[in-house]
Amino acid sequence: MFEPCVLIPVYNHEHAIGAVVQAVLAHGLPCILVDDGSSDACARVLDALAAQSPGRVMLVRHAVNQGKGGAVLTGFRHAAERGFSHALQIDADGQHNAADIPRFIDEARSNPHAAIVGFPVYDHSVPTVRKYARYLTHVWVWINTLSFAIRDSMCGFRVYPVAPVVALAKRRQLGLRMNFDPEVLVRLHWTGLRVINVATRVSYPTDGVSHFQAVRDNVLISRMHAVLFFGMLLRLPLLLGRKWLSR
């Protein structure tokens, strides 16, 4: 049974989240908002969105900010409890093209045991430094998977089957901040979950808010890559055997 929902982690995006939710609802999908300890101003906006669309917008709230990964994992647990089979993750800042939601959902419906992962097609609004700095993470992901299967591990526009993510989170402590998106894909790939890449237009946040903290998040991401590298070495026979069988 294919029962998708949309999952949006939110932290102080009160100026953009309304348009994102309306774009999601236009596609007829239920929406889980995870308020990750937002300000009172953002919390009021989220309360209003949930009140305006009862049954279509579900609001889950953290009393204290836990980070993007923590919010996404809370959303996955809620999705599992509500019986959803798949969750489409999209950012709250409006950078993702919600018009592509049907393409992602159709791919997930046709490939229910795969992760459908966006790789960005940027417009002029993206800062050049940020655009090219992402490639360092891409290279490490390709090394740690011994594969080019994941074209972009940082884009937060993707569809996951819910059960494998929830099971993985029970077995392993995953990154709770900006290190979540690349780590979860690598670890799911290690389990044999197929990744299907879908091109999607990405623009810089419409509300001008970015919660990426250069020092903290780069340290967390660097540590994550180091841990994954040693994990890859432990799995080397399995990964090489999988590559040989797929030839």
Side-chain angles (χ1 to χ4, degrees):
M1 182 174 62
F2 184 73
E3 291 289 343
C5 67
V6 175
L7 167 58
I8 310 178
V10 187
Y11 180 56
N12 294 343
H13 285 295
E14 61 268 26
H15 300 297
I17 187 59
V20 174
V21 169
Q22 292 308 310
V24 166
L25 295 180
H27 296 295
L29 293 169
C31 181
I32 300 173
L33 299 176
V34 181
D35 177 1
D36 191 24
S38 296
S39 66
D40 290 343
C42 185
R44 286 193 294 269
V45 171
L46 298 179
D47 287 337
L49 290 170
Q52 289 165 10
S53 302
R56 300 180 68 201
V57 176
M58 294 152 274
L59 178 59
V60 185
R61 179 159 277 143
H62 288 166
V64 177
N65 177 263
Q66 296 183 24
K68 180 183 181 181
V72 171
L73 288 172
T74 291
F76 267 101
R77 287 188 286 268
H78 188 75
E81 291 168 1
R82 296 295 296 265
F84 293 110
S85 65
H86 289 73
L88 183 147
Q89 176 188 327
I90 190 169
D91 285 355
D93 56 16
Q95 68 172 294
H96 297 140
N97 182 17
D100 284 341
I101 287 175
R103 289 202 298 126
F104 278 66
I105 292 296
D106 287 346
E107 284 284 357
R109 183 181 288 108
S110 299
N111 302 278
H113 302 297
I116 314 303
V117 180
F119 68 90
V121 178
Y122 288 109
D123 63 14
H124 64 278
S125 66
V126 64
T128 301
V129 172
R130 177 162 298 187
K131 179 179 179 180
Y132 290 104
R134 301 165 65 91
Y135 282 94
L136 182 60
T137 280
H138 299 341
V139 170
W140 273 111
V141 166
W142 298 333
I143 291 169
N144 289 333
T145 58
L146 299 183
S147 166
F148 295 110
I150 301 169
R151 288 193 58 172
D152 187 294
S153 63
M154 300 290 285
C155 182
F157 192 8
R158 50 183 69 171
V159 185
Y160 302 92
V162 169
V165 177
V166 172
L168 175 62
K170 287 180 179 178
R171 297 194 306 270
R172 178 82 195 191
Q173 175 66 53
L174 298 169
L176 297 181
R177 296 194 176 275
M178 297 299 183
N179 49 348
F180 172 81
D181 283 339
E183 181 180 10
V184 71
L185 278 186
V186 170
R187 292 192 179 279
L188 287 173
H189 184 272
W190 283 350
T191 69
L193 191 78
R194 189 159 63 102
V195 172
I196 296 174
N197 301 284
V198 176
T200 183
R201 179 176 56 81
V202 175
S203 57
Y204 205 56
T206 58
D207 61 0
V209 176
S210 173
H211 298 301
F212 188 89
Q213 295 188 19
V215 174
R216 182 198 67 190
D217 288 317
N218 279 318
V219 167
L220 288 173
I221 289 170
S222 297
R223 183 183 301 163
M224 172 204 70
H225 288 314
V227 171
L228 290 176
F229 177 73
F230 288 105
M232 178 273 291
L233 293 179
L234 290 173
R235 294 168 176 82
L236 192 57
L238 174 64
L239 296 174
L240 288 175
R242 187 183 298 165
K243 285 178 69 67
W244 176 260
L245 291 173
S246 66
R247 294 175 63 179

